[in-house]
């Protein structure tokens, strides 16, 4: 097994100290930080995302794997040039106004980061105006809105409308998700994409960022 595969495997098992040790070992052996990141850490996280999508692993395993990934990235970071950082696009993410549920939104964030996307996390209870302003301020490629309540999901329509008012609708993609959201709802409010789970959301965000 190559050291990259060992890192990926330890990450999938959520073995934080082992990931830190292996990343340090790879650095000491002169491996490229960019390759350690892509072939070890990000590839391990992509496998976890796929397993999560297929119900082979569940929320706790994803959180533990993400913690291991973050620890590995922290060991790697001082050794990486700015140009080594994987930057596959930028998204702003949040849970819509009136809604405090953030477990699903946080999972989407982890999966996005695991794919090398820069994430600006706005938190919960975010107004449509704040989503759009944050997208402008951060020059984001995608706005990601999460909602868990039928009483708050209509705030997503306001995000689409305000993006139009502010003149950025043709420059930004809007993705929506969360338990009450459906493909039909996404189309009815004029958002670009709906995704059912965190791993699919990360796949779609990558696609939207590179479009
Ligand atoms: Co609340 N709650 N809750 N709750 N809660 C639900 C959502 C509810 C279905 C429970 C029920 O009645 N059966 C119900 C909503 C009913 C409805 O609207 N039809 C409900 C209610 C009513 C409420 C309160 C109003 C209760 C009250 O106070 N009377 C209140 C509202 C507070 C508020 O937000 N203003 C409330 C409060 C809470 C807690 C604070 C106690 C807590 C939230 C803690 C937190 O998030 N930090 C909570 C919880 C935990 C739940 C349940 C039990 C679990 C939600 C969850 O985290 N699921 C939920 C019932 C249930 O779903 N079984 C319920 C796990 C999470 C991983 O899944 O968020 O769906 P989920 O995310 C998935 C996908 O949806 C998707 O990816 C994730 C993983 O793959 N996804 C996206 C999510 N966002 C995405 C974005 C994307 C793409 C995919 O693209 C941008």
């Amino acid at each position: 097994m190559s050291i990259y595969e060992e890192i990926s495997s330890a990450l999938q098992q959520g073995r934080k100290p082992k990931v830190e040790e292996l990343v340090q070992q790879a650095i000491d052996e002169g491996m490229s930080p960019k390759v350690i990141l892509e072939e070890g850490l990000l590839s391990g996280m992509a496998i976890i995302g796929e397993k999560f999508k297929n119900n082979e692993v569940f929320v706790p395993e994803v959180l533990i794997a993400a913690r291991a990934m973050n620890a590995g990235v922290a060991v790697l970071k001082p050794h990486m040039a700015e140009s080594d950082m994987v930057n596959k696009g930028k998204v702003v993410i949040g849970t819509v106004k009136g809604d405090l549920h953030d477990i699903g939104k946080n999972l989407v964030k982890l999966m996005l980061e695991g794919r090398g996307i820069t994430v600006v996390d706005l938190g919960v209870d975010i107004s449509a105006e704040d989503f759009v302003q944050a997208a402008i301020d951060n020059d984001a490629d995608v706005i990601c809105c999460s909602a868990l309540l039928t009483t708050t999901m209509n705030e997503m329509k306001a995000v689409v409308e305000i993006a139009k008012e502010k003149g950025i609708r043709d420059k930004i993609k809007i993705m929506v998700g969360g338990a009450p959201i459906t493909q039909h709802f996404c189309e009815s409010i004029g958002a670009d994409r709906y995704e059912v789970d965190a791993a699919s959301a990360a796949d779609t965000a990558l696609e939207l960022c590179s479009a």
Side-chain angles (χ1 to χ4, degrees):
M1 204 193 264
S2 76
I3 191 146
Y4 305 125
E5 288 166 334
E6 282 189 67
I7 291 170
S8 166
S9 163
L11 181 147
Q12 290 169 56
Q13 294 164 46
R15 296 170 65 198
K16 176 171 170 266
K18 188 70 185 168
V19 169
E20 289 169 328
E21 180 194 317
L22 287 167
V23 169
Q24 189 59 55
Q25 184 187 330
I27 292 166
D28 295 343
E29 288 174 8
M31 315 280 183
S32 149
K34 190 166 190 273
V35 180
I36 299 170
L37 180 66
E38 288 184 345
E39 303 294 321
L41 298 169
L42 295 183
S43 105
M45 204 59 202
I47 293 170
I48 282 288
E50 212 41 45
K51 288 185 173 170
F52 182 58
K53 208 191 287 188
N54 298 329
N55 290 324
E56 292 167 41
V57 300
F58 299 97
V59 174
E61 287 95 330
V62 175
L63 295 177
I64 294 167
R67 192 185 57 174
M69 184 185 80
N70 289 336
V73 170
V75 175
L76 213 48
K77 237 178 182 163
H79 303 274
M80 292 184 81
E82 199 62 30
S83 58
D84 284 340
M85 298 303 284
V86 178
N87 186 3
K88 300 204 170 140
K90 190 184 274 185
V91 315
V92 296
I93 191 169
T95 304
V96 299
K97 188 170 164 187
D99 199 329
L100 304 176
H101 296 85
D102 67 356
I103 299 171
K105 183 266 293 171
N106 290 342
L107 282 176
V108 175
K109 176 187 175 189
L110 290 174
M111 292 292 175
L112 292 167
E113 288 176 340
R115 293 307 188 84
I117 294 174
T118 302
V119 182
V120 179
D121 184 1
L122 306 175
V124 296
D125 193 19
I126 303 303
S127 69
E129 290 81 2
D130 287 350
F131 270 110
V132 173
Q133 195 55 51
I136 295 169
D137 294 346
N138 291 284
D139 195 20
D141 303 296
V142 186
I143 297 176
C144 288
C145 302
S146 179
L148 263 285
L149 298 171
T150 46
T151 48
T152 60
M153 58 197 265
N154 282 314
E155 188 70 9
M156 292 174 170
K157 185 171 165 46
V159 174
V160 176
E161 295 305 325
I162 291 171
K164 279 185 200 158
E165 279 170 26
K166 296 270 181 184
I168 62 159
R169 187 65 189 96
D170 57 337
K171 298 188 204 91
I172 193 113
K173 298 292 179 193
I174 299 175
M175 177 158 57
V176 293
I181 310 302
T182 61
Q183 180 61 34
H184 176 261
F185 176 76
C186 169
E187 287 167 18
S188 74
I189 63 169
D192 295 296
R193 295 293 279 268
Y194 157 71
E195 281 304 344
V196 67
D197 60 49
S200 307
D203 291 342
T204 298
L206 260 188
E207 186 195 309
L208 294 175
C209 287
S210 61

